[in-house]
Amino acid sequence: MLVLLVCDVIGGFLALATGADSWDEAWGFNTRSTVPLPVGVAQLVLAWLAARNVRPPVGLIAAVVLSVFCLISVLAGLFDGDLINNIESDGLISWRVVWATVLLAVTVVVGLLAAVRARHLHR
């Protein structure tokens, strides 16, 4: 999850560097290049709770919520139009398309790990 959060921060800086987002948009809820920073922090907290063995029901709930959160994030990343618009305007091989693919791949990995953790805690 830390890798995903770092990727989100890097995505914001890339958006700033290319002019895709302003400082107000780069990590806020209007960003087009990464997830909003509050969402990334919430995911980090959920991952921390899922990894802890203090209270299994809390960890199980956190792991399930994180897994669902990642699924929603991947679906939004694929179908919100920004990725398709980037492909149409920049081509299939551009920094924005490549970076979006990296973010989606890392999000899928985090979601799958959260689902595995939820299954483990459910037993």
Side-chain angles (χ1 to χ4, degrees):
M1 189 54 230
L2 284 174
V3 171
L4 181 57
L5 188 62
V6 168
C7 287
D8 292 336
V9 172
I10 290 170
F13 281 117
L14 287 173
L16 285 173
T18 60
D21 286 338
S22 67
W23 277 100
D24 294 336
E25 297 170 331
W27 296 282
F29 287 98
N30 292 326
T31 184
R32 293 181 302 269
S33 302
T34 187
V35 300
L37 198 54
V39 171
V41 171
Q43 289 175 323
L44 184 64
V45 170
L46 288 170
W48 180 79
L49 288 172
R52 304 277 305 177
N53 286 326
V54 179
R55 301 176 104 193
V58 173
L60 174 62
I61 292 168
V64 169
V65 170
L66 179 59
S67 182
V68 171
F69 222 134
C70 288
L71 175 64
I72 292 169
S73 186
V74 167
L75 291 176
L78 288 173
F79 300 112
D80 69 353
D82 290 336
L83 181 60
I84 294 168
N85 291 339
N86 289 342
I87 292 171
E88 287 178 355
S89 64
D90 299 340
L92 189 58
I93 305 298
S94 70
W95 79 265
R96 284 200 254 179
V97 173
V98 171
W99 189 252
T101 304
V102 168
L103 285 176
L104 289 173
V106 174
T107 303
V108 166
V109 169
V110 170
L112 289 175
L113 289 173
V116 168
R117 180 67 177 158
R119 185 173 180 206
H120 173 74
L121 290 173
H122 183 63
R123 291 182 178 180

